[in-house]
Amino acid sequence: MTPKEQYDALYERSVEEPDAFWLEQAQLVDWQRFPKQALQYEKPPFAYWYPDGQLNLCHNAVDRHLEARGNQTALIWVSTEVEREQRITYQALYRQVNEMAALLRNLGVGKGDRVLIYLPMIPETVVAMMATVRLGAVHSVVFGGFAAHSLASRIDDATPTVVMTADAGMRGGKVIPYKPLLDAALEHAQSARPQVVVVNRGLDPDLKMGEGDTDYHSAVAPLAGVEIPPEMVASSDPSYILYTSGTTGRPKGVQRDTGGHAVSMIASMKYIYGVGAGDVMFSGSDIGWVVGHSYIVYAPLLVGATTVVYEGIPIRPDPGIWWSMVEKYKVNCMFTSPTAIRVLKKSGPDYIKKYDFSSLRWLFLAGEPLDRQTHAWVSETLGKPVVDNYWQTETGWPILSNFAGLGLMETKFGSPCKPSLGYNIRLVDSQSGAQLGADVKGALMIQPPLPPGCMTTIYNNDDGFVETYFSRFDEPLYATFDYAMYDQDGYYFIMGRDDDVLTVAGYRMGTREIEEALCTHPAVAEAAVVGVKDEIKTQEVVAFVVLTGGLDNPGAESLRDVVSKEVGPIAKPRDLYVVSGVPKTRSGKVLRRAILAICEGRDPGDLPTIEDAAVLDVIREAVGTG
Ligand code: AMP
């Protein structure tokens, strides 16, 4: 069978016979009690996968591998910030996880309790996640870059028994204290004060331990060799909460279950990422984001692979650092975001090309639309297949992807390919909700029940879950809030967020389409487009472009012409500014709302996820409101 035939057969089965299909996939997991039932769906849209199954995630990710691969490296930690490298075998990971689980238990953590993990990219972060789920408790990892009041709101929402932090993290050679931030957050927080555990890395000479704070290293020392049996939980018990990145609305605590999560992680490695036991995976992301949860931590460990955990930025000491790691650690599968590749693209291919990455099979990219230029540049530079995959914090694993594990199907530029297993995708008219055919843009919805691994609810807010995701139309479909199209061959194209849809003189278009058009010009490295209110046309297109280093400014008129040619004259930006950067979240998403606010003379408000707040001034200066 060709890869396409294999995909077609597998996908069809996953949606036509979901019960049989998902029970079969459940065999990939080691259960304490194997489920007899795949799905309980009595209270739509709440889906309970494997309702009678019992298991422990940490057992599956660690203990399960001890016999066959105890001496295999589970985790390679590389820090270009503190110039260190460490390899941890499954056996060593098992020991560390048990010790940390013992410590957490001594601090009162039991089944169902929350542990908030506010740590940098260090092995202890992975150990803390594993130790938490070993106890049947629920972790909430908060990205280390969040400021005190964002952290406080997450503490108040998750009400953790324990918060784990470090004295400091480092970014680009600068020490970033964590503990003072946590102290400030705890001052703000309204909920009961949690126990605080501090991993002291010796980076912050001014570290202040409060009364009752626990020093991690001294507290685990006497626990060496202690074994804590994994607490078996029901499949639908929560394993973690992860607050969404917040490009839209208030942060929501995405809650994931245990059994469906385990099955989806292993199945995605088998069919999509093509990674198995003994392979090496490197995801250039942060554990604080969903890609980190799924493809730095859970999926690689669940299948018995080796995961590379990297503390540092992709351009330091130079833009070749990731590729030197691919060579050194013989990485088989790499995963990062288009933004990261665009950053590397600015420095040219030579930094990458000098390394030997014959071990590398594929590069997966997700998190935002992958434009044709970036895609072509990176696949040419690497000489390897580049796989665009589309998903969200909410789903935890791909909604759309090519399936490397089955052999890749044809790639189409700009398309994350086809629906992933169990996803019943519905493309509907964004006004009427009527189902659309090929080649028409519409709202990308998913017919519930959502497949295993997807969010089961918003933490402590079942009503909010239904209200936020399932109430867009009369028919209760899950809203991705993305705007998409599929072609005659069933390939999907993501056109941007629903809320990034522009209406210019009655024409609807995605900001993303215009950005893509601008990026087809060789002089444009990056573009951000917003729709500024206009009395006559409803909205006017305003564009910001970052130029490719070393090339001449082609001038606004020729860039407008590109848009006119690619999208249509109606999409021509009224104003076009050349800027040195556009504001983005730390996970690489353009903060269009903030740009729009500045363009309309409003305050962009609080932006806890912003990568570099100084870039807002670049926009202000450009539009003259600074
Ligand atoms: P997050 O939950 O922060 O990971 O953001 C998820 C959103 O990122 C999706 O709803 C899309 O808007 C966008 N996204 C993720 N992956 C892709 C992709 N491959 N192509 C286009 N957009 C993507």
Side-chain angles (χ1 to χ4, degrees):
M1 282 209 282
T2 62
K4 180 179 175 301
E5 286 163 349
Q6 283 196 54
Y7 161 80
D8 285 345
L10 196 70
Y11 174 71
E12 211 173 286
R13 186 134 188 279
S14 77
V15 289
E16 305 280 320
E17 299 168 64
D19 289 333
F21 177 83
W22 287 116
L23 273 180
E24 211 171 281
Q25 302 308 319
Q27 288 168 9
L28 297 167
V29 168
D30 198 9
W31 301 81
Q32 160 91 353
R33 190 168 71 213
F34 192 86
K36 289 198 179 68
Q37 192 183 349
L39 174 68
Q40 188 184 77
Y41 195 54
E42 284 152 13
K43 219 174 69 178
F46 297 91
Y48 300 101
W49 285 98
Y50 309 114
D52 56 336
Q54 267 203 354
L55 75 164
N56 180 277
L57 261 182
C58 178
H59 163 80
N60 273 276
V62 183
D63 307 26
R64 187 186 185 185
H65 307 306
L66 292 181
E67 207 180 302
R69 51 190 73 254
N71 292 324
Q72 180 197 305
T73 303
L75 187 160
I76 302 173
W77 177 59
V78 182
S79 173
T80 49
E81 300 290 354
V82 297
E83 302 290 342
R84 275 194 63 197
E85 180 201 281
Q86 194 182 344
R87 287 172 196 256
I88 301 175
T89 61
Y90 272 101
Q91 184 61 48
L93 182 63
Y94 172 79
R95 268 193 279 106
Q96 291 185 28
V97 167
N98 273 279
E99 288 158 16
M100 193 173 302
L103 170 63
L104 291 175
R105 200 179 62 177
N106 291 347
L107 292 173
V109 176
K111 191 170 175 173
D113 293 338
R114 275 82 50 218
V115 174
L116 191 137
I117 300 171
Y118 183 66
L119 283 170
M121 288 289 281
I122 53 177
E124 285 83 354
T125 311
V126 180
V127 174
M129 291 164 81
M130 287 298 140
T132 303
V133 295
R134 189 171 191 83
L135 297 171
V138 180
H139 60 70
S140 170
V141 179
V142 176
F143 176 63
F146 279 122
H149 84 270
S150 312
L151 181 57
S153 68
R154 285 156 173 78
I155 290 172
D156 281 339
D157 194 67
T159 58
T161 308
V162 169
V163 179
M164 299 246 0
T165 191
D167 59 334
M170 280 185 74
R171 195 176 154 80
K174 252 183 37 210
V175 173
I176 300 169
Y178 275 42
K179 176 66 168 44
L181 245 142
L182 172 61
D183 288 338
L186 290 173
E187 287 277 303
H188 279 295
Q190 312 283 313
S191 48
R193 192 186 164 85
Q195 305 264 4
V196 173
V197 178
V198 184
V199 178
N200 187 357
R201 309 175 70 194
L203 295 176
D204 181 5
D206 300 324
L207 172 67
K208 284 192 188 53
M209 295 291 281
E211 213 179 299
D213 291 351
T214 303
D215 174 73
Y216 169 69
H217 291 295
S218 47
V220 287
L223 300 171
V226 172
E227 300 215 339
I228 303 289
E231 176 81 31
M232 297 298 157
V233 300
S235 171
S236 50
D237 282 346
S239 57
Y240 75 74
I241 305 164
L242 178 58
Y243 292 89
T244 50
S245 62
T247 41
T248 53
R250 276 177 51 102
K252 297 173 275 281
V254 166
Q255 179 172 319
R256 204 152 337 272
D257 72 355
T258 301
H261 173 43
V263 172
S264 69
M265 289 294 94
I266 305 182
S268 68
M269 290 298 254
K270 180 173 172 188
Y271 301 115
I272 298 178
Y273 299 96
V275 175
D279 285 340
V280 182
M281 183 156 187
F282 172 27
S283 295
S285 176
D286 191 286
I287 294 176
W289 304 123
V290 72
V291 174
H293 274 61
S294 292
Y295 297 105
I296 295 176
V297 182
Y298 281 106
L301 296 180
L302 284 166
V303 300
T306 299
T307 183
V308 179
V309 178
Y310 174 59
E311 181 183 44
I313 55 177
I315 50 167
R316 194 174 166 274
D318 66 52
I321 177 65
W322 277 1
W323 315 93
S324 75
M325 287 160 60
V326 171
E327 175 183 289
K328 182 167 180 193
Y329 305 117
K330 301 200 168 28
V331 171
N332 303 116
C333 178
M334 182 158 174
F335 190 161
T336 188
S337 65
T339 297
I341 300 298
R342 282 187 211 112
V343 168
L344 298 179
K345 189 174 157 208
K346 282 190 197 158
S347 322
D350 296 346
Y351 281 106
I352 301 180
K353 282 195 156 161
K354 69 177 178 214
Y355 295 102
D356 169 12
F357 28 76
S358 47
S359 59
L360 190 67
R361 300 178 197 136
W362 313 284
L363 169 67
F364 279 80
L365 297 176
E368 12 138 21
L370 174 60
D371 58 283
R372 171 186 279 266
Q373 278 64 28
T374 305
H375 191 156
W377 181 83
V378 69
S379 51
E380 215 173 281
T381 303
L382 294 174
K384 303 280 177 181
V386 171
V387 187
D388 184 4
N389 56 131
Y390 159 82
W391 46 293
Q392 314 178 295
T393 306
E394 286 85 346
T395 64
W397 66 294
I399 302 171
L400 297 171
S401 189
N402 209 326
F403 282 56
L406 299 176
L408 291 168
M409 294 177 270
E410 182 197 345
T411 297
K412 292 194 189 191
F413 281 122
S415 167
C417 211
K418 299 207 176 195
S420 170
L421 305 174
Y423 286 93
N424 247 312
I425 295 185
R426 298 268 303 270
L427 199 69
V428 303
D429 182 274
S430 54
Q431 304 298 320
S432 68
Q435 189 144 353
L436 299 173
D439 298 326
V440 190
K441 288 166 214 161
L444 182 64
M445 313 292 288
I446 303 167
Q447 164 106 46
L450 296 175
C454 291
M455 80 187 290
T456 47
T457 188
I458 294 178
Y459 180 67
N460 258 343
N461 188 1
D462 284 352
D463 292 344
F465 175 60
V466 178
E467 179 64 29
T468 307
Y469 296 102
F470 294 90
S471 57
R472 175 98 188 255
F473 302 109
D474 291 344
E475 188 186 0
L477 298 174
Y478 170 85
T480 61
F481 299 103
D482 287 310
Y483 176 60
M485 186 180 92
Y486 64 91
D487 70 8
Q488 304 283 348
D489 300 326
Y491 280 66
Y492 280 79
F493 295 80
I494 305 295
M495 325 293 293
R497 295 290 285 180
D498 247 9
D499 49 11
D500 291 333
V501 172
L502 295 181
T503 303
V504 181
Y507 290 89
R508 299 180 63 86
M509 56 190 115
T511 48
R512 209 34 234 170
E513 290 171 82
I514 306 171
E515 291 168 3
E516 289 246 3
L518 287 164
C519 288
T520 61
H521 195 290
V524 175
E526 206 170 3
V529 164
V530 293
V532 176
K533 269 200 205 96
D534 182 86
E535 294 253 316
I536 297 169
K537 296 185 173 176
T538 318
Q539 282 173 310
E540 275 279 30
V541 179
V542 174
F544 297 83
V545 298
V546 181
L547 297 179
T548 311
L551 293 182
D552 285 342
N553 185 344
E557 216 32 56
S558 82
L559 293 175
R560 281 199 186 96
D561 287 345
V562 173
V563 176
S564 178
K565 203 172 108 235
E566 298 278 325
V567 191
I570 193 77
K572 252 190 177 184
R574 179 191 68 189
D575 305 320
L576 192 142
Y577 304 101
V578 171
V579 287
S580 56
V582 293
K584 281 188 218 146
T585 65
R586 289 173 197 270
S587 59
K589 295 191 200 321
V590 175
L591 284 162
R592 294 196 189 83
R593 283 173 180 224
I595 300 177
L596 181 61
I598 293 173
C599 289
E600 295 182 343
R602 292 178 284 115
D603 178 5
D606 209 17
L607 299 164
T609 59
I610 194 165
E611 160 94 71
D612 178 5
V615 181
L616 292 175
D617 290 331
V618 170
I619 302 292
R620 282 193 189 101
E621 239 164 68
V623 301
T625 59

